[in-house]
Amino acid sequence: MQALQEFRSADLVHKLAAEIRRRVTHPWVLMEICGGQTHAILQYGLDQLLPAEIELVHGPGCPVCVTPLELIDKAIAIASLPNTILCSYGDMLRVPGSQRDLFAVRAAGGRVHVVYSPLDAVRIAQEHPDRQVVFFAIGFETTAPPNAMSLLQAKALGLKNFSLLVSQVRVPPAMHAILSAPTNRVQGFLLAGHVCTIMGYWEYEPIASQYRVPMTVTGFEPVDLLQGILKTIEQLEEGRVGVENAYTRAVTRDGNRAAQQIINHVFEPCDRNWRGIGLIPQSGWGLRPEWAEFDAEKRFDLGPIKTQESPLCIAGQILQGIKKPHECPAFATQCTPQAPLGAPMVSAEGACAAYYRYGRGLEQSNRATSEG
């Protein structure tokens, strides 16, 4: 705990902010990839300490937010079937599907269990051999190893009533999509420290080189984040391009090789739809053919799924850093955590939820509502 407090030191925070102000001479747009970093930046008011020349935009690194609507609808359909139990992380329950959410399914009597680990879902499958148990396996590279381990354990236990509804996504292809888009404004990236703990940062080096965009691996505490911003600004101001590591206590260039081997044993790259963004080639992981018996999409015949997004929600633009949450006309009026139109308003890592919780943009939203 004492070590953690050092990374929340007010003195260090103000020294780093002062050094950033001293170093910056041009306007720069930086994107933090991870939604957890977005929440930390707003919680600690780091955005308000930065000079006006630095604009932070928020990336697609919220696994709940980018889970495609068709998979939300499939999860709802599975949870509505008799003799099934759908296991999910808690913030998935309020994510709106085309017609309703998982919370409504549970309220209507569906078996929806909130778990904290995919291994909890394996245990539930052991305890309920008469029911099909499905774990909603969402997430970036960080959650892929435990999700893969759940299948290894289920197979070792001989469970025939356990499967995964897979929505695993990968960061590098999403960065390619952002940087190659004509609407791109991002000039530097803060890379997600927990993803890089698993995967390392070697795969970001060719992306930085290709697009001439500097990047810094960054943690989640105030000092971590400001160090990441400073290192990225130094690269931009000096005309350098590369990937630097400001999270050396957790991240190495090569990452966790054992975890990568487990991922590759169970998953293989595949095209994946991202909610609000669309199809990004090779941006996901799907189960390898030898694990097809554990694929919930193959196990359940759900028929055609017709999806329908709210026409008011601009989550896709927010997830790509094109717009900020408070620039959505529905923000904090027609879209709130109690009645969300899109996933970023209910996810624990959603940018809209962060703006709402920490009061960013609420003034503009209230003013627009009163003028309307």
Side-chain angles (χ1 to χ4, degrees), residues 31-320:
M31 173 180 279
E32 78 278 0
I33 285 288
C34 175
Q37 291 176 334
T38 302
H39 276 254
I41 287 167
L42 270 62
Q43 176 185 357
Y44 293 106
L46 304 184
D47 55 323
Q48 298 170 332
L49 290 177
L50 296 174
E53 291 89 346
I54 298 177
E55 179 184 359
L56 297 179
V57 296
H58 320 302
C62 165
V64 172
C65 302
V66 302
T67 299
L69 182 56
E70 59 264 30
L71 281 180
I72 301 290
D73 285 349
K74 285 182 179 180
I76 290 169
I78 290 171
S80 302
L81 293 172
N83 300 318
T84 64
I85 299 174
L86 183 85
C87 297
S88 172
Y89 298 126
D91 51 358
M92 290 299 299
L93 270 64
R94 291 299 308 279
V95 177
S98 294
Q99 303 297 329
R100 55 180 179 162
D101 55 27
L102 286 167
F103 188 81
V105 174
R106 188 166 75 169
R111 297 290 297 272
V112 180
H113 288 208
V114 174
V115 296
Y116 297 95
S117 162
L119 297 181
D120 292 339
V122 174
R123 175 182 51 78
I124 291 170
Q126 286 181 278
E127 295 171 351
H128 297 85
D130 58 329
R131 291 180 179 270
Q132 286 292 327
V133 176
V134 180
F135 177 68
F136 200 173
I138 71 163
F140 286 86
E141 293 92 334
T142 316
T143 62
N147 289 344
M149 285 298 299
S150 73
L151 288 195
L152 295 175
Q153 183 168 0
K155 187 171 184 177
L157 293 169
L159 296 179
K160 302 298 182 183
N161 65 325
F162 179 77
S163 59
L164 297 183
L165 182 60
V166 179
S167 185
Q168 293 285 171
V169 286
R170 302 171 54 228
V171 172
M175 293 176 67
H176 276 291
I178 290 169
L179 290 168
S180 62
T183 52
N184 174 56
R185 299 172 55 235
V186 179
Q187 297 165 294
F189 279 98
L190 306 180
L191 300 176
H194 50 6
V195 170
C196 294
T197 300
I198 301 295
M199 303 303 296
Y201 56 87
W202 59 269
E203 59 186 337
Y204 297 99
E205 292 169 345
I207 303 175
S209 178
Q210 177 180 347
Y211 297 99
R212 305 299 300 166
V213 173
M215 305 176 186
T216 305
V217 181
T218 309
F220 302 88
E221 298 299 332
V223 171
D224 290 325
L225 288 158
L226 289 176
Q227 284 178 333
I229 292 169
L230 176 60
K231 283 182 175 292
T232 309
I233 290 299
E234 287 175 341
Q235 286 194 69
L236 287 165
E237 291 284 343
E238 296 167 14
R240 295 185 289 111
V241 173
V243 180
E244 297 192 27
N245 185 7
Y247 200 36
T248 55
R249 68 183 185 277
V251 172
T252 63
R253 182 178 181 274
D254 292 337
N256 187 325
R257 293 290 194 181
Q260 293 168 30
Q261 289 174 358
I262 292 170
I263 293 171
N264 293 330
H265 181 62
V266 172
F267 296 111
E268 62 182 2
C270 66
D271 299 342
R272 182 72 74 190
N273 275 313
W274 293 50
R275 185 169 185 168
I277 298 175
L279 182 70
I280 302 178
Q282 298 295 285
S283 65
W285 275 314
L287 293 177
R288 291 186 175 277
E290 56 266 35
W291 294 93
E293 64 180 298
F294 293 98
D295 189 339
E297 291 191 76
K298 291 182 170 63
R299 182 169 294 190
F300 298 91
D301 182 12
L302 301 174
I305 298 287
K306 294 183 179 180
T307 61
Q308 182 179 355
E309 292 275 12
S310 166
L312 298 176
C313 182
I314 65 166
Q317 293 172 286
I318 292 168
L319 292 168
Q320 296 173 80

